[in-house]
Amino acid sequence: MAYEVQNFQEDVLDASHDLPVVVDFWAPWCGPCRTLGPILEDLAAANGSQWKLAKLNTDENQELSIQYGIRGIPAVKMFVDGKVVDEFTGALPRYAVEQWLARALPSKSRPHVAAAEQAINAGNHDKAREHLKKAIKEEPGNARATLLLAQLDLFEDPEGSLELIRSVEIVDPVLTQIADGLGVVAGLLSMRPPYENLLEGAGHDGYVKAIDALRKRDFRSAIEAFISVVQQDRYYDDDGARKACLAIFSILGEGHPVVKEYRPRFNMALY
């Protein structure tokens, strides 16, 4: 439940050592505040065991507003152990507030996910798997950890990766895009020669060539072949070549050299 701040030190700073406190900086005359307020209150009522909602009237607490850099309202800040750990400004829709909370709230599994990401960057995938499995054990619904594990296992066990992706609910649009990409690639890797389920057509041979290259993690050759299919037989396998290119781009990330090289060529092939 929400409560009005009477004593900032006690109601917010001290209280945040026991449970995260989300402070809604608002004012009675603020229209967007009246839109956001009920959303925050509803979410706080549904998640009272995870965080508290405190409301602070900026008209009545101008010194605190200045101290915390409030330049526009509604402004929302999360306090943990007496410090601001995350914030946003403006009347976000409910799904966006939920995404913010999922990202900002402290989690026992977060250190494991961070350690796994470091291990992945260092090329130590076994260590990364250990951390990700611990994260999922502590927080079964952790979408980030689940998708990272699915990506690690993608080429060795595509069917298992698909099961992992389907096992978790994802609300973050960025993670949803990654999950969709992983699902497309896992589906392609699950196909086995002689590819009897693929229909004949102008794009058949190029499509098979692309899948074979993908299985070898030869992303450059795979994308080249998929682009060729897009140009020859755009809607082969239900527009599968286009979907495959987008999936590979999503998994590799826009900063990857292969993506930088082939994204323009892919875009040109669509028109």
Side-chain angles (χ1 to χ4, degrees):
M1 297 296 292
Y3 57 90
E4 292 289 341
V5 173
Q6 303 297 323
N7 182 307
F8 196 83
Q9 179 66 46
E10 295 179 0
D11 296 342
V12 177
L13 300 183
D14 292 347
S16 70
H17 287 273
D18 297 322
L19 206 64
V21 177
V22 174
V23 180
D24 177 15
F25 292 81
W26 72 290
W29 49 265
C30 168
C33 297
R34 292 194 294 272
T35 299
L36 180 64
I39 294 174
L40 291 170
E41 291 163 14
D42 186 42
L43 290 172
N47 300 276
S49 63
Q50 294 181 283
W51 55 279
K52 297 179 181 179
L53 174 63
K55 299 181 71 67
L56 188 141
N57 187 322
T58 56
D59 287 348
E60 298 174 355
N61 296 274
Q62 294 186 15
E63 289 186 7
L64 281 170
S65 299
I66 294 173
Q67 179 181 344
Y68 285 98
I70 305 302
R71 295 181 176 83
I73 54 175
V76 177
K77 298 179 184 290
M78 180 181 292
F79 288 78
V80 176
D81 294 332
K83 299 179 181 179
V84 177
V85 297
D86 212 330
E87 59 191 301
F88 70 85
T89 302
L92 300 181
R94 183 186 178 99
Y95 77 87
V97 177
E98 291 176 329
Q99 292 168 9
W100 176 77
L101 286 167
R103 183 184 70 249
L105 282 170
S107 167
K108 291 181 179 179
S109 65
R110 185 166 295 171
H112 287 303
V113 176
E117 290 175 334
Q118 290 180 351
I120 291 171
N121 291 334
N124 192 339
H125 291 180
D126 289 338
K127 184 176 181 180
R129 285 187 180 90
E130 289 179 11
H131 282 292
L132 291 172
K133 288 177 180 178
K134 289 178 181 177
I136 294 169
K137 183 176 181 180
E138 292 181 355
E139 189 181 357
N142 189 314
R144 178 64 179 164
T146 302
L147 293 181
L148 281 172
L149 185 58
Q151 186 164 348
L152 282 177
D153 292 343
L154 182 61
F155 288 89
E156 287 78 12
D157 184 13
E159 291 85 358
S161 291
L162 276 174
E163 290 182 11
L164 280 172
I165 295 165
R166 293 166 179 164
S167 72
V168 66
E169 181 180 358
I170 303 171
V171 296
D172 187 318
V174 175
L175 293 183
T176 297
Q177 184 179 14
I178 293 172
D180 290 343
L182 289 172
V184 169
V185 172
L188 292 170
L189 294 174
S190 297
M191 297 181 183
R192 294 286 185 265
Y195 303 108
E196 294 177 348
N197 291 331
L198 290 177
L199 298 176
E200 292 298 326
H204 177 275
D205 291 347
Y207 205 70
V208 169
K209 180 180 178 181
I211 296 172
D212 288 339
L214 183 61
R215 183 169 288 110
K216 298 173 184 175
R217 308 190 199 195
D218 183 354
F219 299 113
R220 181 172 275 100
S221 297
I223 293 174
E224 281 187 354
F226 279 130
I227 289 176
S228 176
V229 174
V230 169
Q231 294 171 324
Q232 294 175 358
D233 192 356
R234 168 66 187 273
Y235 296 104
Y236 181 79
D237 194 32
D238 191 25
D239 205 14
R242 181 189 64 84
K243 294 175 183 176
C245 286
L246 291 174
I248 296 171
F249 293 157
S250 174
I251 292 172
L252 295 181
E254 292 299 324
H256 194 283
V258 172
V259 179
K260 289 182 178 180
E261 179 181 355
Y262 284 96
R263 171 71 82 170
R265 290 177 55 181
F266 168 74
N267 291 339
M268 290 180 61
L270 298 178
Y271 302 101

